[in-house]
Amino acid sequence: MRAQSTVAESPVDLVLAALDGGATSRRSIARHADLSDDLASAVIDQLIRGGQLKSESLAFGCPPKGCGDCGAASAARPACLSGGRGTDRPVLVILSRDKPNGQ
Amino acid sequence: MAARTPDTTGPGGRSVFTADCHAAPAGRQAPSGSATVALVGCPNVGKSAVFRMLTGVRAGVGNYPGTTVAVGNGAWKLDTGKLEPAQTVAALDLPGTYSLDPISPDEELVRDLLNDDHPDLVLAVVDAVNLSRSLYLVAQLREQARRIVIALTMTDVASRRGIEVDAAKLARAIGTPVVVVDGRRSTPPRGLAQAVETALLSAPTPARASRRGANQPPCCTAEVLGDTTPPPNATDEPDQFAAAAERFSWIALVEQAAVTTPRTPITTRSDRIDRIVCNRWLGPVIFLAAMFAVFMITTKVAAPLQEALGALVDGPVTSMITAAFGWFGADDTIAAHFVIDGVIAGVGAVLTFIPLMILMFGLLAMLEDSGYLARAAVVADRLMRAVGLPGRAFIPVIVGFGCNVPAVAGTRVIPNARHRLLTVLLLPFVSCNARLTVYVLVGTTFFGSNAGYVVFAMYVLSVALVVVVGRLLRSTVLRDIPREPLMIDLPPYHLPAVRLVGAVTWQRLRAFLKTATGIIVITSALVWVLSATPGLGTHQTGSAAGFGNVSVSDSVYGQVSRAVAPAFNPAGFGNWQAASALITGFVAKEAVIAAWAQTYATSEPTDVGQPGALGDSLRADFGESSDGHTIAAVLAFMVFLLAYTPCLTTVAAQRREIGTKWTVFGMGMQLTVAWVLAVVVFQVGSLL
């Protein structure tokens, strides 16, 4: 059975520490934090919901303002692979830390 | 929301919620006054399948929150196996929700229904595969006194992944009954009905004991699990972050008590590939190899296609237009030369880019769609941080390989101003597609079948310049730049879809043509006009003196180029034709080839056997200006082209992002680096 963190340290603190420690993927965060993949992933998703982590879907070659700024897009459809929100196509997601007050 | 009529009291004396109107088509309704059982759960846990199993009502099963917007209602007969008639309850299928802190109307509906309307019992559908996510919702449900029964689904899938959930231990840890359920069956397990009936006859389970002070919401059953952690400071302000942290601590304890996971986690195919692709040492090598393959394929396959298109424009198209002017007796007029040598030459240059762009955009789209480019971002993130650039700079850098202009604009995603400044100053060293066209021409002319290697070397040098100049800037004028951690959520690997890759390639090609065509045609026409304008002190002879009747070398264009050319003597390409190309390239790299073609086509031909043979003219002039060290001079020229200012539009974009002072600093830095590198390359190369 995987070793669990001490009760004194919340999985949330462990995940944030793993992020600050340079973990670059969900799997490596779980390893750094010594949590199960499932628990680490749930913490990350909750932090995104709570705004402590920002999730941005990004595609290459597209303007930062989005489809409206792209010469190849039209009102009917975007011009990039990540333009369809909710698509199951692989999309690069970058998460950034937004430390809460006092944290 | 549907109207509700509390018309009876249930166990404990509280009013019973009875939903009597629903948007979704309803199956058999429970008798009025029946107890209400609300099904809650995260999306994709099998909640609707369980609801269908309990009530026989068909309900849609969707993958995203909001798929079942309406609240489903059906009658569930509690078949406990006892002799007396089975109790019927009203089952409500609430929309999927991850949390009772809503971020959508559906989640708000669920929270309001549970907290304000108090169903008699909550049947929480919990997914054994993603237990933690489901338990977050359960943790919140347990923060109020409620009757709760857990329906544990997907235990078979969990078992296949090595995850074993002990339902009895889970029940003790959570403090509520847990029943294993398979939503694919046609009838529910008897144990579920028994658990619900027993719970309905009992008082609600007390809320998890509060450990955060009197004014805090209830949070822990730590006492049940033997947790001895001291509670947080009671004077702390309640906030969602602290509440979430506490809930996950509770979840960790619950899972510790009831869940067994494999010693080594089961790895997916993507994980196994990532061990190699994202490896600290192999990752960069693989990344370089992938980029090398892209460039080799692009240059080798595009070159003959470009040649064919160029021949088409120079041959039949030019002949047709010349003939058309001839029909009107205007074939040797200024207008004809302007159209043919200015505009058509520019259009021809654009056309020859198309095969190159299609291949480049197509290959990058394939890498992106496959999921590999996300891994490249992980690899590049380490490189970025080694330079002192923020991880976010990877995106503008990758965009910069297409075009520096949107790359500079794309630095707006970098929140820190100093990071943004550093990135904008370095982006001009990223070799864009426009420079690629010149590389390919020069590479093919001087290196033949080895052109791909030379072109790739330019890209490697480009990356090296970003790294070296970046470190230089960080250790000198930009010492005060903080570091920023970056996490990248890797998508699973995917076979690229041909249709999608094709659509994206077309969209990006169209965007390139839309922006580049105007620049190229206008610059080409402008170069022609300057080439046709007599320079100062030019002696014109004959009756046809003046505009349009002067050699390029005697034109305004030629004279400016001659004035600049000596500066390139130490770099081995101090001929005015090369200088003129670089001056044109300062305006727009896309127009370099068109300007070169004009320069050589309107000058006296050096090769009578092949009029307009640009390659031969280039070989002759580079050979002459370098005293026979042609290759060294060509490499020096390519290095200068790589490192100096990309184009006027990039300068304008930079000025918008970092202001005039830093933009001028950047231009000076680029010209200095370009000239010094070119001189070094030629001087060292001519010794070899």
Side-chain angles (χ1 to χ4, degrees), chain B residues 215-585:
Chain B
N215 293 326
Q216 311 283 334
C219 59
C220 286
T221 53
E223 297 89 316
V224 175
L225 301 168
D227 174 25
T228 56
T229 305
N233 189 337
T235 61
D236 285 345
E237 290 295 314
D239 67 277
Q240 289 193 351
F241 182 83
E246 187 283 322
R247 288 171 191 140
F248 278 111
S249 292
W250 179 80
I251 291 170
L253 289 171
V254 167
E255 292 185 352
Q256 190 174 14
V259 180
T260 308
T261 50
R263 190 170 290 275
T264 49
I266 292 174
T267 53
T268 62
R269 186 176 57 179
S270 290
D271 293 331
R272 289 192 289 277
I273 297 172
D274 282 344
R275 263 201 219 115
I276 301 168
V277 167
C278 296
N279 179 270
R280 187 189 182 89
W281 305 111
L282 285 177
V285 173
I286 293 171
F287 175 58
L288 283 177
M291 291 298 110
F292 177 72
V294 167
F295 294 125
M296 285 299 286
I297 294 170
T298 301
T299 52
K300 284 210 182 296
V301 176
L305 295 171
Q306 287 180 284
E307 203 176 314
L309 277 171
L312 178 70
V313 172
D314 289 340
V317 172
T318 300
S319 302
M320 239 168 38
I321 295 174
T322 305
F325 273 103
W327 289 335
F328 298 98
D331 51 323
D332 197 25
T333 60
I334 290 175
H337 285 295
F338 174 75
V339 170
I340 295 167
D341 300 327
V343 177
I344 298 300
V347 171
V350 173
L351 283 179
T352 57
F353 293 159
I354 291 175
L356 202 65
M357 295 303 152
I358 288 175
L359 281 167
M360 174 69 76
F361 289 143
L363 289 170
L364 286 178
M366 280 177 57
L367 287 178
E368 185 179 1
D369 196 36
S370 70
Y372 173 71
L373 228 45
R375 276 75 183 171
V378 172
V379 170
D381 180 49
R382 291 192 204 115
L383 290 174
M384 292 287 126
R385 284 197 253 158
V387 179
L389 276 177
R392 284 169 183 272
F394 170 73
I395 299 300
V397 167
I398 287 292
V399 172
F401 282 109
C403 178
N404 287 173
V405 177
V408 168
T411 58
R412 286 175 207 163
V413 299
I414 302 172
N416 183 280
R418 299 298 271 180
H419 280 151
R420 202 162 52 243
L421 171 62
L422 177 62
T423 308
V424 171
L425 286 174
L426 293 178
L427 278 171
F429 294 112
V430 177
S431 189
C432 61
N433 271 340
R435 279 174 268 207
L436 174 65
T437 59
V438 183
Y439 296 155
V440 171
L441 170 77
V442 173
T444 309
T445 300
F446 291 94
F447 300 98
S449 59
N450 293 320
Y453 296 101
V454 177
V455 172
F456 178 65
M458 290 297 113
Y459 280 89
V460 173
L461 179 61
S462 170
V463 172
L465 278 175
V466 170
V467 172
V468 170
V469 176
R471 293 196 85 106
L472 200 62
L473 286 173
R474 283 210 63 164
S475 61
T476 53
V477 294
L478 295 176
R479 281 195 211 103
D480 55 343
I481 291 186
R483 299 199 175 267
E484 177 196 85
L486 177 76
M487 182 191 134
I488 297 169
D489 211 359
L490 295 175
Y493 285 102
H494 213 294
L495 274 179
V498 173
R499 190 187 58 81
L500 186 62
V501 167
V504 169
T505 301
W506 165 240
Q507 296 286 358
R508 289 177 180 166
L509 176 68
R510 215 174 69 185
F512 172 80
L513 292 175
K514 209 167 151 180
T515 52
T517 302
I519 294 172
I520 295 170
V521 172
I522 289 170
T523 306
S524 181
L526 185 64
V527 168
W528 183 86
V529 168
L530 291 175
S531 304
T533 306
L536 294 174
T538 304
H539 295 291
Q540 304 295 325
T541 57
S543 59
F547 185 84
N549 289 297
V550 63
S551 65
V552 176
S553 63
D554 289 332
S555 67
V556 169
Y557 185 66
Q559 286 193 340
V560 170
S561 303
R562 283 183 195 287
V564 173
F568 298 115
N569 282 337
F573 54 90
N575 60 79
W576 71 268
Q577 292 90 343
S580 71
L582 293 174
I583 292 171
T584 307

Side-chain angles (χ1 to χ4, degrees), chain A residues 7 26 49 60 71-72 86 89, chain B residues 64 101 229 369 507-508 514:
Chain A
V7 172
R26 288 182 185 243
R49 275 182 68 103
F60 303 98
R89 307 307 300 175
Chain B
Y64 296 98
D101 297 317
T229 305
D369 196 36
Q507 296 286 358
R508 289 177 180 166
K514 209 167 151 180

Side-chain angles (χ1 to χ4, degrees), chain B residues 5 77 86 149 161-162 170 194 210 222 230 287 290 300 331 335 376 407 440 463 502 523 534 540 583 606 624:
Chain B
T5 309
K77 193 176 253 189
V149 171
R161 297 185 189 183
L170 189 66
Q194 290 166 348
S210 172
F287 175 58
K300 284 210 182 296
D331 51 323
V440 171
V463 172
T523 306
Q540 304 295 325
I583 292 171
T606 57
E624 186 184 332

